[in-house]
Amino acid sequence: KVSDNAENTNKTGNIGVIVPEQYYEYSVSFYGQLYKKVVKALYKYDYYGILELLTDENEKEKKLPKILKDEKVDGLILLGQMDEEYINAIVNQNKLPVFFIDTYNSLMTFDTVISDGYYATYMLTNYLIRQGHTNIAFVGSVDATSSIADRFWGYRRALRENHIVYNEAWEIPDRDEKGNTFNAIIEEPGDIDAFVCNCDFIAHIVIQNLESRGYKVPQDVSVVGFDNFLPLGMGENRITSYEVNIEQMADLCVKSLIKKMNGKKYNKGVQVVTGKIIYRNTVAPKR
């Protein structure tokens, strides 16, 4: 029995949760909500979550999280997109078991839980096509994150299957190199009759841009988003969107990490959680 107790004293009962600073600027952000769900799931399994924000500087210099160095935690959960080299540094440190959530990289194998962005935007784009739309743009900087890239290729697949010839002008960036989103994304829709946006926040900006120029959504132009999440007061019940099951993502991530920490069998690599389309009033049949 002595050895059992000795082993237990090494356990802290804490899990470090690392979020890049840029994604956690306000607690009402999508990642703020995801973090809350992760903490709730940890608590359910008798663990405490300790948040550490990852600064741009530390990410660039590949500085490992302070909580890892201080040996304050039994495992790590990393939320959101991160630099490839930083992911590598985290994966290759041998001190602690790690799980990622809402990030992946096709060049590396690591344990992660993601939402089904590819299939989701495939379904959303098909829904727009069934409403008679054919000139459909995608709003999102495709190379910014793996999740935006997935959403873009799901959209492209729907166009291709429906024999709609893709126009390169339909790929509309939504942020600068540093990840700051533009306030003016759409000047004029031109012949575009529908927009597939990589998240609801961007859909909200696109709708504002269109309405400020006298266009009506959905009467003139249809818009869909992703995440089914907007901060209160931003027309959060307006946008047709794909609801990501963040509670299930958080729970799966936490359960899998605990199994990994305890040397039990778990699903290695990428685990995908699906969601559902939420139909609201930003889509109308093409006139």
Side-chain angles (χ1 to χ4, degrees), residues 36 56 66 90 96 98 105 118 137 153 160-161 178 203 228 239-240 250:
K36 275 188 200 161
D56 276 353
K66 193 172 181 303
I90 291 285
L96 291 177
V98 182
N105 183 311
Y118 177 83
W153 291 111
R160 192 179 175 92
E161 281 185 6
K178 287 192 176 138
N228 189 33
I239 298 168
T240 292

Side-chain angles (χ1 to χ4, degrees), residues 104-210:
Y104 87 102
N105 183 311
S106 60
L107 305 171
M108 298 155 70
T109 51
F110 53 86
D111 297 322
T112 184
V113 175
I114 61 169
S115 65
D116 199 346
Y118 177 83
Y119 185 61
T121 42
Y122 169 73
M123 293 200 309
L124 284 165
T125 309
N126 269 318
Y127 169 56
L128 290 169
I129 293 165
R130 288 199 306 275
Q131 301 297 312
H133 298 289
T134 49
N135 292 3
I136 305 168
F138 179 87
V139 187
S141 298
V142 178
D143 298 323
T145 70
S146 57
S147 49
I148 295 176
D150 279 353
R151 292 165 201 184
F152 174 71
W153 291 111
Y155 145 85
R156 285 288 301 271
R157 178 183 166 189
L159 294 183
R160 192 179 175 92
E161 281 185 6
N162 288 281
H163 311 292
I164 294 171
V165 179
Y166 172 68
N167 178 341
E168 280 187 5
W170 292 353
E171 185 188 320
I172 301 166
D174 67 341
R175 64 194 71 191
D176 62 21
E177 269 80 82
K178 287 192 176 138
N180 304 310
T181 50
F182 303 135
N183 292 324
I185 296 171
I186 308 298
E187 291 297 327
E188 279 293 328
D191 61 357
I192 293 166
D193 49 49
F195 292 93
V196 174
C197 302
N198 78 86
C199 68
D200 286 356
F201 180 63
I202 294 303
H204 172 73
I205 295 174
V206 166
I207 292 167
Q208 281 188 321
N209 292 171
L210 291 165

Side-chain angles (χ1 to χ4, degrees), residues 44-62:
K44 189 168 91 177
Y45 297 108
D46 297 324
Y47 280 91
Y48 289 101
I50 299 179
L51 175 67
E52 183 172 329
L53 293 180
L54 172 63
T55 64
D56 276 353
E57 201 181 334
N58 284 357
E59 190 175 351
K60 281 193 187 87
E61 292 172 11
K62 296 180 283 300

Side-chain angles (χ1 to χ4, degrees), residues 128 207 217-218 221-225 238-241 280-284:
L128 290 169
I207 292 167
V217 176
V221 188
S222 287
V223 178
V224 296
R238 184 182 176 187
I239 298 168
T240 292
S241 186
R280 294 208 184 92
N281 51 353
T282 54
V283 175

